[in-house]
Amino acid sequence: MNTVRNCLKSLIGEAIRPLLKDSGAEINIELDIPKVAAHGDYASNVAMGLTRVLKRNPREIAQGIISNLRDSDSLLEKVEIAGPGFLNFFLKPEAWYGVIRDIIANPEGYGKQDLGKGARIQVEFVSANPTGPLHIGHGRGAAIGDVLANILTECGYDVQREYYINDAGNQMDTLGRSLYFRYRQELGEDVEFPENHYRGEYMRELARELIGREGKRFRNSEPAEVLPFFTDYAGRSILDGIKDDLDIFGVHFDRWFSERELHGVDSVRKTLEHLRERGFIYDSEGAVWFRSTSFGDEKDRVVIRANGASTYFAADLAYHLNKFERGFQATVDVWGADHHGYIERMRAGVQALGRGKDDLRVVLVQLVNLLRGGVPVAMSTRGGEFVTLREVLDEVGRDATRFIFLTRRTDSPLDFDLEVAKAQSNDNPVFYVQYAHARLCSIFEVARERGLEFDLATAGAETLALLRSPQEFELIKLLGEYPDMLADCARSLEPHYIPYYLHQLVSQFHSYYHDNRILGDDPALTRARLCLAAAVRNVTRNALRLLGVSAPQKM
RNA sequence: GCGCCUGUAGCUCAGUUGGAUAGAGCAACGGACUUCUAAUCCGUAGGUCACAGGUUCGAAUCCUGUCAGGCGUACCA
C-alpha cells in the first residue's frame, strides 16, 4: 500500500543502492516515529546499520544517503543527521493530506492491502473437543483466531476459517458412557458413575433432555447396543451448543471439519503409507513410528499403537495433509499453550509430507486465569466445575470480552477478572473507544441538523491545508500509520496492536475535540475539520469491525 | 531432570526485527462542563525493566548463568 511510510522507505532504498554497489547486501529499512518532535516525522537508523558493511562511520554514510535522495514527489521539508548517525526526516505538510483524501475516497477500503497477494490460507481455531461447553480459554482462542482471519483477509489473503472436530476416538466413547450413566441415574436407578468420566452438570441436563425426547426406552437395552447412539447424541448436542455459543460471540466458521470424515475415507492409513514410502515410518516394539527426529523433534512418535489403534497424532498428520490437498498454501493453527509440546512433531510432520517449514504456523494462545474479585475460579472439564464462555458473555458482554482478550499478546498469560471486566464498565477501554465513535457520529448528526453537511470528496487542497495545528498533524499521521499497523499484525500474527492503536487514536481525538470546535464559525475550517473527523471515524470503525466489536452511533 | 512461555509503575499490560529521555489504562491526588456527548479532558505522583555477568557506538530487547511462576515432557485426547 502506498502509505507515506512506504513512499519514504522506497526513497531511502533508492538512495542506498548506489552506496552498496558490489557488496550485494540486502538492507532492511526501518522507520521509527520519534517520540520527540525535534527528531522529525520519521527517523531511521539505516546508516548505523550499514557501518559494518561499508566500513565507514555512520554520519558519513548518512550524508551519502542524503545526497542521493531523489525526492521526486517532493515529500521532504528537510533531512537531518543527528546523534551517532540517525537520519531525521521532516516532511512537508502537504505530504500528509493524501491520507485524508485516501480515507474519504474509500472509507471501508482504507487499510485493505495486498500483502498476501491472494494466497489461500486457512486459519484453524477453537477446535475444542465436543465433550463439553466452551470455557473461557476457548473464548480467547476464538477471538484471536477470528480476528486473525479478519486481519489476514484485510491484508490480501484468501482466508478460510475452519473448526476441526475431534469426534473420533475413545474420549467420545467416554462421553457416550457418561451420558448413558446419567440417563439411568436420572431415571432413578442407583448406578455408580464411573471414574474419569464427564461429570459436569451439563451431562445431567443432556440426560434429562434425552428422557424428555426418547423416554425410558433405552433403560433395559444392552449397553453395547445403545452406546453408539448415546455417543452420537451427546456429541451432536454438545457441538450444537458450541455452535450457538460461538454465534453469540460473533465467531463464524466457513467449515466444520469432522475427524470422522478422515477415517471414513481411510485417510490416516493412506497418509501413513505415503510417509512410509518416503522413509519416515518404521515398525518397532509392536508399534508403528513416525521418524520426527529427522526434522529436529526430540524423539520419534508413535502413530499406531501396539493394540492396533492409531494415535491422535496420526489423525493430525492426515488432517494436515488433507488441508494441503485442498489447496491451502499455508495453515495457521491456533492452539492452547498446553499443546506447545506438540508443535515440533507437527512441524516435522508437515515437512515429511513435503511441505515447507512455514506452511504451518502455530499461534500459541496462553491460558486464561479466570478470577472473580481477585479469587481464582477453579476450572476442570471432567470435574465439571467451570464457568462457561456463555456465562461470561451473559455477565460481561460480547464487546468487552472480545476487547479484553484481544488487548494482550497471544503468548502472554491473561488474568480475566469477571468483577473487573464488569465493574470497570465505565472506564473500560472498549467503551472509551466506542464512546469516541458515538461522539463522532453525534458531530455529524449535529452538522446535518445545522445544514453544515457537504460532500467530503469535494474538499480540495486549499480546504485540507487549513488543518495545520500540531494536534491535527498528529492525528493525520496516526491515521496514515493504520495500514502499516495492520501489516504488522498480519506478519506477526498478533492482533493486539489494533486495540492499542485504537486507544491511541481515540485518545488523541478526545483531546483534540476538547481543545477545538469541529463545527465552528468559520465555514471553511469547519469543512476541513469535518474531513478529519470523518477520517478518524472511518478508521475507528474499520478497526472495530476487524475486532468484531460494535461501533455504536449513540451511547 | 529436560523443553517451551512468562517476569517492566501498587494492579492489569504495551514496548513491532537492538536505537535517542521506559509507555498506557486502572487505582491515588489536584483541577476543567453556558458550547459539537464530562462514558471526556488537563495536571501531579509512581521504575534497580526479576537478579548477575557478557556482546557494542547503544540492551527492557541478543548470549550465558541464577531465582520465581505457568505449561509441557504418553503406545492420552
Side-chain angles (χ1 to χ4, degrees), chain A residues 74-88:
Chain A
S74 190
L75 294 172
L76 296 169
E77 181 81 50
K78 61 174 174 176
V79 186
E80 288 177 354
I81 302 171
F86 289 104
L87 282 165
N88 293 337

Side-chain angles (χ1 to χ4, degrees), chain A residues 130-132 170-189 191-215 218-219 223 226-239 382:
Chain A
T131 55
N170 55 35
Q171 57 161 357
M172 291 307 288
D173 299 336
T174 305
L175 181 72
R177 272 195 305 277
S178 301
L179 180 61
Y180 176 73
F181 283 102
R182 285 302 190 215
Y183 172 80
R184 292 178 56 182
Q185 284 180 340
E186 288 296 320
L187 285 174
E189 280 186 66
V191 292
E192 201 178 328
F193 194 77
E195 288 285 309
N196 285 327
H197 278 50
Y198 300 97
R199 52 178 60 248
E201 182 55 29
Y202 63 92
M203 290 304 290
R204 289 184 199 275
E205 284 168 23
L206 213 53
R208 285 194 287 271
E209 186 191 299
L210 180 60
I211 292 167
R213 193 166 298 184
E214 302 284 343
F218 300 112
R219 184 156 57 165
V226 294
L227 273 176
F229 171 80
F230 277 80
T231 300
D232 196 57
Y233 184 86
R236 254 211 326 264
S237 303
I238 290 173
L239 189 61
R382 294 211 174 170

Side-chain angles (χ1 to χ4, degrees), chain A residues 346-530:
Chain A
M346 204 60 238
R347 251 196 232 298
V350 165
Q351 288 172 83
L353 290 168
R355 303 293 303 203
K357 212 175 179 176
D358 295 328
D359 292 353
L360 167 67
R361 293 188 69 183
V362 178
V363 175
L364 271 194
V365 180
Q366 279 292 337
L367 305 183
V368 179
N369 286 317
L370 190 65
L371 311 170
R372 186 180 286 285
V375 183
V377 179
M379 301 284 281
S380 145
T381 308
R382 294 211 174 170
E385 189 198 339
F386 62 91
V387 178
T388 61
L389 173 62
R390 182 62 177 273
E391 287 166 321
V392 173
L393 290 177
D394 289 345
E395 193 171 336
V396 177
R398 165 175 147 179
D399 286 345
T401 303
R402 287 184 80 118
F403 206 86
I404 290 169
F405 282 149
L406 295 164
T407 310
R408 266 82 173 179
R409 252 178 32 233
T410 55
D411 67 349
S412 167
L414 159 62
D415 283 349
F416 192 101
D417 193 314
L418 290 162
E419 296 304 324
V420 173
K422 266 193 317 184
Q424 237 189 13
S425 60
N426 274 358
D427 1 54
N428 196 311
V430 70
F431 296 117
Y432 182 76
V433 175
Q434 289 178 318
Y435 181 67
H437 183 267
R439 187 177 239 185
L440 280 154
C441 289
S442 162
I443 292 170
F444 282 94
E445 184 59 27
V446 173
R448 199 182 56 77
E449 285 164 10
R450 296 189 191 167
L452 297 171
E453 252 187 343
F454 75 109
D455 180 6
L456 298 169
T458 63
E462 70 287 351
T463 301
L464 293 178
L466 297 172
L467 300 170
R468 55 180 160 220
S469 73
Q471 273 180 314
E472 284 160 342
F473 276 117
E474 235 184 311
L475 269 171
I476 297 172
K477 288 179 200 173
L478 205 45
L479 292 170
E481 283 294 309
Y482 177 71
D484 298 307
M485 182 277 301
L486 279 187
D488 283 343
C489 290
R491 271 190 286 267
S492 59
L493 300 178
E494 282 284 2
H496 75 279
Y497 298 115
I498 296 180
Y500 280 93
Y501 173 87
L502 267 176
H503 190 277
Q504 196 189 349
L505 177 69
V506 148
S507 157
Q508 281 182 21
F509 170 72
H510 277 312
S511 183
Y512 175 70
Y513 175 89
H514 182 266
D515 295 345
N516 302 278
R517 204 131 249 291
I518 312 282
L519 309 174
D521 302 327
D522 181 342
L525 188 58
T526 296
R527 279 197 291 276
R529 288 182 171 172
L530 277 173

Side-chain angles (χ1 to χ4, degrees), chain A residues 104-121:
Chain A
I104 287 172
N106 187 6
E108 279 82 37
Y110 184 68
K112 284 201 172 72
Q113 50 200 303
D114 198 27
L115 198 65
K117 300 186 169 60
R120 280 194 72 202
I121 59 172

